[in-house]
Amino acid sequence: MSVKVRLDQIPKEKYSLPGNAACPGCPHMIGLKIVGKAFRGEATLVIPAGCSSIVPGYHPYTSLDMRVIHVPFASAPAVATGISRALKIRGEDIGPVIVWAGDGATFDIGFATLSGSAVRNEDIIYIVSDNEAYMNTGVQASGSTMYGARTTTTPILGKKDRRKEIDLIMLMHKIPYVATASIAYPLDFYEKLLKASKIKGFRFIHLFSPCPPGWRFDDSKTVEIARLAVETGAWILFEYAEGKLTISPPSRIYADKSKRKPLREYLELQGRFKGISEEDLKIIEEMIDENWRVLETLSKIYS
């Protein structure tokens, strides 16, 4: 099943409205804008605690022109499951039920309900808008924080733990759809949302979302940094569907390491990596190479 979209086919209507409380350059609002357009506002968002609980504003003055329910941190997949099942019992088709969560709710606090819903293959779309730390409560490291990054809980030497490979974990749940996306590649994200909507069961999309205040870069560079992550090979766009795993078009060229931009170019724009040692830089490069080897191997297994 291939879903190809031209730019002129994307709706001009806006379902994520201006006048919200997001920080300048916030990646979540870019992602939510694309989600709104993909489903023309006909989606039910279940949002656990995090930045996206705050920035839309208070009812009835919310900036999201979609159905939204805000829930406690760990409960989002369970609540989404209940809504999805209730809609089916009532025979109502009002668009997909979507969990829109951050990395803390996904990698750490909410992982149990995420895993349980995936194992049951609940009919929901789960999107993690990943800014690699607990930004809403003060930039504490999460299970997603990149090795070497300085946060308020790893302030001196930077994080020394590997990040959890959530995509591979979800892939091993044997769910029908797993994909990575980036706010720097809106058309790729849009097409993956449409494709996910045509599949029944549990669908997982991991959206790369650089955070200006948490990563300490100028808020005009959100998209530039997100694009650099792909161009340096640090973020790999891929998709698993119908039993096949494929590297997505924007990332394919970077399977050839010689085509990638220097990793330093990506890290130097982020204050969280200021003063990173040559040893840590080498470790990160080795982790990136390993991720490529794993995904390329999986693409041959699931071909």
Side-chain angles (χ1 to χ4, degrees):
M1 182 198 309
S2 176
V3 176
K4 293 295 179 188
V5 178
R6 298 192 313 270
L7 282 176
D8 62 353
Q9 293 175 316
I10 295 178
K12 291 184 170 50
E13 294 81 5
K14 296 179 179 178
Y15 303 95
S16 175
L17 308 175
N20 56 64
C23 302
C26 177
H28 298 321
M29 301 315 294
I30 298 173
L32 285 167
K33 185 182 296 183
I34 299 167
V35 171
K37 287 178 178 292
F39 302 113
R40 296 178 181 270
E42 292 301 317
T44 301
L45 301 182
V46 180
I47 301 179
C51 296
S52 298
S53 302
I54 304 298
V55 296
Y58 299 106
H59 181 78
Y61 303 110
T62 176
S63 65
L64 294 178
D65 190 12
M66 291 178 272
R67 292 177 292 276
V68 176
I69 178 169
H70 296 283
V71 300
F73 233 138
S75 67
V79 172
T81 294
I83 295 172
S84 174
R85 290 191 180 196
L87 289 174
K88 280 186 171 56
I89 291 170
R90 295 171 61 166
E92 295 184 25
D93 183 6
I94 56 172
V97 179
I98 298 173
V99 174
W100 174 269
D103 49 293
T106 302
F107 288 65
D108 305 328
I109 300 171
F111 182 74
T113 48
L114 165 63
S115 178
S117 299
V119 166
R120 296 191 305 273
N121 198 28
E122 300 289 352
D123 193 20
I124 61 177
I125 297 175
Y126 192 105
I127 302 171
V128 50
S129 185
D130 184 4
N131 55 23
E132 299 188 353
Y134 291 82
M135 303 306 182
N136 189 48
T137 52
V139 196
Q140 298 90 351
S142 76
S144 171
T145 303
M146 196 170 173
Y147 180 93
R150 288 189 175 89
T151 68
T152 52
T153 50
T154 58
I156 307 300
L157 300 176
K159 188 182 176 187
K160 293 301 179 187
D161 306 316
R162 296 188 64 130
R163 62 179 294 171
K164 187 184 291 183
E165 298 296 342
I166 195 74
D167 311 316
L168 301 183
I169 293 170
M170 299 313 297
L171 187 66
M172 291 301 106
H173 278 68
K174 309 297 183 184
I175 55 179
Y177 188 80
V178 178
T180 57
S182 167
I183 56 97
Y185 296 86
L187 195 56
D188 177 75
F189 182 35
Y190 187 91
E191 290 176 344
K192 285 171 176 171
L193 287 168
L194 291 188
K195 189 167 184 176
S197 72
K198 298 178 185 304
I199 296 171
K200 295 297 182 184
F202 197 94
R203 293 142 285 171
F204 184 85
I205 299 177
H206 189 177
L207 179 66
F208 187 75
S209 299
C211 172
W215 293 19
R216 288 181 275 157
F217 62 79
D218 188 273
D219 54 47
S220 65
K221 294 185 177 298
T222 303
V223 173
E224 178 183 342
I225 287 181
R227 189 179 298 117
L228 266 176
V230 173
E231 292 172 341
T232 56
W235 185 254
I236 308 170
L237 295 166
F238 77 91
E239 182 180 57
Y240 170 84
E242 301 172 310
K244 295 183 179 179
L245 190 149
T246 53
I247 306 296
S248 302
S251 276
R252 282 178 194 162
I253 186 174
Y254 305 113
D256 179 351
K257 190 174 180 179
S258 68
K259 305 290 186 186
R260 299 176 202 164
K261 291 185 176 179
L263 179 62
R264 190 182 294 278
E265 189 174 329
Y266 168 58
L267 300 185
E268 281 183 344
L269 287 175
Q270 305 173 46
R272 62 179 182 157
F273 291 109
K274 187 176 181 180
I276 190 170
S277 68
E278 290 298 320
E279 181 183 359
D280 280 345
L281 184 64
K282 185 178 179 183
I283 290 173
I284 295 172
E285 287 180 329
E286 290 172 350
M287 289 176 176
I288 291 171
D289 290 344
E290 181 183 347
N291 289 341
W292 275 100
R293 285 195 297 272
V294 169
L295 278 176
E296 289 182 299
T297 300
L298 287 173
S299 69
K300 292 173 183 173
I301 295 172
Y302 297 111
S303 61

